[in-house]
Amino acid sequence: MEDVAREAGVSRALVSLVMRDSPKVSPAKRSAVLESAAALGYSPNRLASRLASYRTNTLGVLFLDLHNPVFADIYDGIADGLAGSGNQVMVAVGSADPGTELEAVRSFVDLRVDGVILAGYTGSPEDLAAALRGTPAVVITRELEVDGVDSVLCDDFRSGALAVEHLHGLGHRRIAHVDISEWLPYTARREGYLWAMRQFGLEPLLVHSDMTERGGRAAMNNFLASGAAVPTAVFAHNDLTAIGIMEALASHGLAVPDDVAVVGCDNIEVAASPLIGLTSIDQHAGELGRLAAGAMLKRLAGGPGPAVARKLEPALLVRRSTGPGAAP
Amino acid sequence: MEDVAREAGVSRALVSLVMRDSPKVSPAKRSAVLESAAALGYSPNRLASRLASYRTNTLGVLFLDLHNPVFADIYDGIADGLAGSGNQVMVAVGSADPGTELEAVRSFVDLRVDGVILAGYTGSPEDLAAALRGTPAVVITRELEVDGVDSVLCDDFRSGALAVEHLHGLGHRRIAHVDISEWLPYTARREGYLWAMRQFGLEPLLVHSDMTERGGRAAMNNFLASGAAVPTAVFAHNDLTAIGIMEALASHGLAVPDDVAVVGCDNIEVAASPLIGLTSIDQHAGELGRLAAGAMLKRLAGGPGPAVARKLEPALLVRRSTGPGAAP
DNA sequence: GTGAAAGCGCTAACAT
DNA sequence: ATGTTAGCGCTTTCAC
């Protein structure tokens, strides 16, 4: 920078201004600076500028899992919602390990990102608040009551109820739910399922799995091997699990939807594929990402304040997996 | 940091050493520092430490597309290969826009990451070299001749040839290839296909698409609507495209593999699903990620030098989409 | 093992 | 509009 300034015959401060295209610099000097910068192959060290300016114009986005395509949809929404705001996105990927996500958040905070967007967070509100140290955050898919942390989600309780209502309407009475791990803080879908089952006077049947295709397959295989009476319908926590369930059913010679109807959740792209035809409950992933970006921008502009939550209404999309012929 | 030092009754330098758990500090002082750091809620500003130390212990990873699950496999491989190396990963996502990936690389470089891993890069070698400014890089899925930039890939030419050989062996003679855009630098699969077709004295049939499920569907729909003679087999550039093709065939009442056999590339998880049963050519995505991480670690340790390329042998996985009954 | 001093490369008042 | 002067929070010699 020193060199560029000398080469262009100006001061370092002027170079700094040009690099951030400030309007308060004469066109002549500007082009002179730009020219010698190009000649010297200079580009500003952003670490230094961030350190000095206290502003990084960078948002950290944490994904729980790259394998679930719903996160790609969320990413697109975030990118769309941030477009033109001058903010950069830094992505981190969590993992099954519960400590990893907090580690990633801490890392974002140590890097002084302006805000953190969490697409899925499985830890406690207290741990998150501690890791954030006041950095604004938006959590997608979960409602957290932490100051400065907004929530954007789809009504999970309603999603669970919607699935049961749909299946009940088709005549199903033995409706199972393949859920996630018991200890995860995502309980609303299960509760919606349980609530609706009770409303209809039906006996709930809960099986736990791990949110993956493989997990869904294993859960259903285990169940079928157990010799227990097979339900006529299954509601899975997400589409990946639902697809795994369909695979297990197929490998046991059970037809979908005639023997067993299946409902998933998320409405990932492949669910709509004619090869799969999975009835699913759309969580509006793209819209959630867009809203999260909007909420973050608003908070960045508006300063601290109490948590704001935005909850979307889920939408049932009926496809072949609960289609005609599904009546038991 | 000042405060922590005072609180613990030591100098700032000592705090710095403790924070980087240097071995040259007495256990007593160490715990004293750690304690007061916890009490004061202190955590080091990594921007400052990076600026001062010239080492970020961070690698930038650029993905071309989050929607293709093959990148999740690559990510897992990278994370696995980097585990225990003390390096952090920063992810950025490119997009269709050719400028975006270079922008992301420049951003990584301005942030002074120690190295960049590109999972898919569609630009020119010169542009990449310019954007990197000497930062070490590893490109996955492509061979680039740039100093300091290593390549890790699967033999694409062989993949294309393998697909044709497999289909020819099944008795197919009218074998089409649904390719990517003509201007993209990924031409080897196509060339392998063309070479093998020539070897067998067959007439090639090329259609271009965009690497997505939707694109594959559209390409096949267009083709079927055109009234041209339908090939008995199709080799798609990747699995996503292949699945789209299968969807289009299904919606036109054509059976796979009896009317048309389909071969994909990548061997993504869903290809193996019994619901899809797509014959695919495994590119060893996880292994590519692991190798890329290893190459990066090696380069970080070994300094600059000429480009090194590592090429893996693809593996054909035969499934239902070219299974028995496929003979035309 | 510990402390003092000199930067890392930039931004942000302030004065001109 | 442009130059000057201090830092940002940490790491790093280098003496003690």
Side-chain angles (χ1 to χ4, degrees):
Chain A
M1 179 158 166
E2 188 73 57
D3 304 335
V4 175
R6 190 169 335 113
E7 167 90 4
V10 299
S11 75
R12 306 179 2 161
L14 212 253
V15 175
S16 173
L17 289 177
V18 171
M19 281 342 243
R20 285 174 288 147
D21 23 58
S22 151
K24 21 185 7 179
V25 56
S26 66
K29 299 268 182 185
R30 145 162 288 126
S31 60
V33 169
L34 253 25
E35 223 167 89
S36 44
L40 274 67
Y42 166 85
S43 90
N45 183 330
R46 297 233 201 178
L47 286 179
S49 70
R50 287 174 177 204
L51 178 59
S53 73
Y54 268 71
R55 249 301 196 144
T56 60
N57 292 314
T58 297
L59 264 26
V61 176
L62 175 64
F63 290 113
L64 210 54
D65 173 18
L66 236 39
H67 286 278
N68 192 147
V70 77
F71 290 110
D73 293 335
I74 292 179
Y75 176 84
D76 288 344
I78 293 175
D80 185 38
L82 250 32
S85 74
N87 281 100
Q88 229 193 291
V89 170
M90 225 169 106
V91 175
V93 182
S95 85
D97 172 29
T100 309
E101 53 188 6
L102 280 172
E103 199 44 65
V105 171
R106 267 188 229 107
S107 174
F108 278 147
V109 172
D110 289 346
L111 253 21
R112 301 296 189 266
V113 297
D114 294 337
V116 177
I117 297 179
L118 298 109
Y121 169 69
T122 64
S124 77
E126 297 76 30
D127 286 347
L128 180 60
L132 283 172
R133 298 161 170 276
T135 306
V138 178
V139 178
I140 304 180
T141 71
R142 190 167 159 204
E143 195 167 352
L144 242 51
E145 309 246 330
V146 178
D147 274 3
V149 178
D150 298 326
S151 300
V152 174
L153 70 164
C154 205
D155 191 334
D156 273 341
F157 185 94
R158 187 77 201 104
S159 297
L162 205 52
V164 174
E165 288 165 8
H166 169 59
L167 291 167
H168 182 267
L170 290 171
H172 291 281
R173 294 301 176 262
R174 291 185 46 74
I175 305 170
H177 178 40
V178 177
D179 200 1
I180 53 176
S181 299
E182 222 157 340
W183 56 268
L184 285 173
Y186 289 89
T187 59
R189 267 178 219 176
R190 174 194 313 150
E191 280 155 16
Y193 159 82
L194 292 173
W195 175 85
M197 290 296 277
R198 256 196 316 274
Q199 291 292 309
F200 291 124
L202 303 177
E203 192 69 30
L205 176 54
L206 233 54
V207 176
H208 292 280
S209 182
D210 68 355
M211 301 170 104
T212 70
E213 193 176 327
R214 183 173 327 196
R217 199 171 359 170
M220 187 44 93
N221 277 333
N222 282 345
F223 187 86
L224 293 173
S226 76
V230 179
T232 66
V234 180
F235 165 50
H237 180 83
N238 67 13
D239 286 347
L240 245 33
T241 304
I243 290 172
I245 290 168
M246 291 171 81
E247 292 170 4
L249 291 170
S251 71
H252 281 258
L254 291 168
V256 173
D258 297 293
D259 295 321
V260 181
V262 179
V263 176
C265 213
D266 280 349
N267 193 32
I268 59 180
E269 190 174 0
V270 69
S273 164
L275 304 175
I276 305 276
L278 173 64
T279 292
S280 185
I281 298 174
D282 195 344
Q283 305 289 301
H284 313 295
E287 185 61 13
L288 288 180
R290 230 175 335 260
L291 289 172
M296 178 52 79
L297 257 22
K298 199 164 170 184
R299 194 157 276 283
L300 253 27
V308 177
R310 176 76 190 277
K311 201 182 271 188
L312 261 40
E313 199 61 25
L316 174 72
L317 274 87
V318 180
R319 303 205 180 87
R320 218 175 52 235
S321 73
T322 63
Chain B
M1 178 156 166
E2 188 74 57
D3 304 335
V4 175
R6 193 172 329 115
E7 167 88 4
V10 299
S11 74
R12 305 180 3 160
L14 211 253
V15 175
S16 173
L17 288 177
V18 171
M19 280 345 240
R20 285 174 288 147
D21 24 56
S22 149
K24 21 185 10 180
V25 56
S26 66
K29 299 268 181 185
R30 146 162 287 127
S31 60
V33 168
L34 253 26
E35 224 166 89
S36 44
L40 274 68
Y42 166 84
S43 92
N45 183 330
R46 298 233 200 179
L47 287 178
S49 67
R50 288 174 177 203
L51 177 59
S53 73
Y54 267 69
R55 248 301 196 144
T56 59
N57 292 313
T58 297
L59 263 27
V61 176
L62 175 64
F63 290 113
L64 210 53
D65 172 19
L66 237 38
H67 286 277
N68 192 145
V70 77
F71 290 110
D73 293 335
I74 292 179
Y75 176 84
D76 288 345
I78 293 175
D80 185 38
L82 250 31
S85 74
N87 281 99
Q88 229 192 288
V89 170
M90 227 169 103
V91 175
V93 182
S95 84
D97 172 29
T100 309
E101 53 188 6
L102 280 173
E103 198 45 63
V105 171
R106 267 187 229 106
S107 175
F108 279 146
V109 172
D110 288 346
L111 252 21
R112 300 298 188 266
V113 297
D114 293 336
V116 178
I117 297 179
L118 298 110
Y121 169 67
T122 63
S124 77
E126 297 76 29
D127 286 346
L128 180 60
L132 283 171
R133 297 160 170 278
T135 306
V138 178
V139 178
I140 303 180
T141 71
R142 190 166 160 206
E143 195 167 353
L144 241 51
E145 309 246 330
V146 178
D147 274 3
V149 178
D150 298 326
S151 301
V152 173
L153 69 164
C154 205
D155 191 333
D156 273 339
F157 186 92
R158 186 77 200 103
S159 296
L162 205 52
V164 174
E165 287 165 8
H166 170 58
L167 291 168
H168 182 267
L170 290 171
H172 291 281
R173 295 300 176 263
R174 293 185 45 74
I175 304 171
H177 178 40
V178 177
D179 200 3
I180 54 176
S181 299
E182 222 157 341
W183 57 267
L184 284 173
Y186 290 89
T187 59
R189 268 179 218 173
R190 174 195 314 151
E191 279 155 16
Y193 159 84
L194 292 173
W195 175 85
M197 289 296 277
R198 258 197 315 274
Q199 291 293 307
F200 291 123
L202 303 177
E203 191 69 29
L205 175 55
L206 234 53
V207 177
H208 292 280
S209 182
D210 68 355
M211 300 170 106
T212 70
E213 194 178 327
R214 183 173 328 197
R217 200 170 359 169
M220 188 43 93
N221 277 333
N222 282 345
F223 188 84
L224 293 173
S226 77
V230 179
T232 68
V234 180
F235 165 51
H237 180 84
N238 67 13
D239 286 347
L240 245 33
T241 304
I243 290 173
I245 290 168
M246 290 171 82
E247 293 170 3
L249 291 170
S251 71
H252 281 257
L254 291 167
V256 173
D258 296 295
D259 294 321
V260 181
V262 179
V263 176
C265 213
D266 280 348
N267 193 32
I268 59 180
E269 191 175 1
V270 68
S273 164
L275 304 176
I276 305 277
L278 173 64
T279 291
S280 186
I281 298 173
D282 196 344
Q283 305 288 301
H284 314 294
E287 185 62 13
L288 288 180
R290 233 178 329 263
L291 289 172
M296 178 52 78
L297 257 22
K298 198 164 172 184
R299 194 158 274 284
L300 253 26
V308 176
R310 176 75 189 278
K311 200 181 272 190
L312 261 40
E313 198 60 25
L316 175 73
L317 274 87
V318 180
R319 303 207 179 86
R320 220 176 50 236
S321 72
T322 63

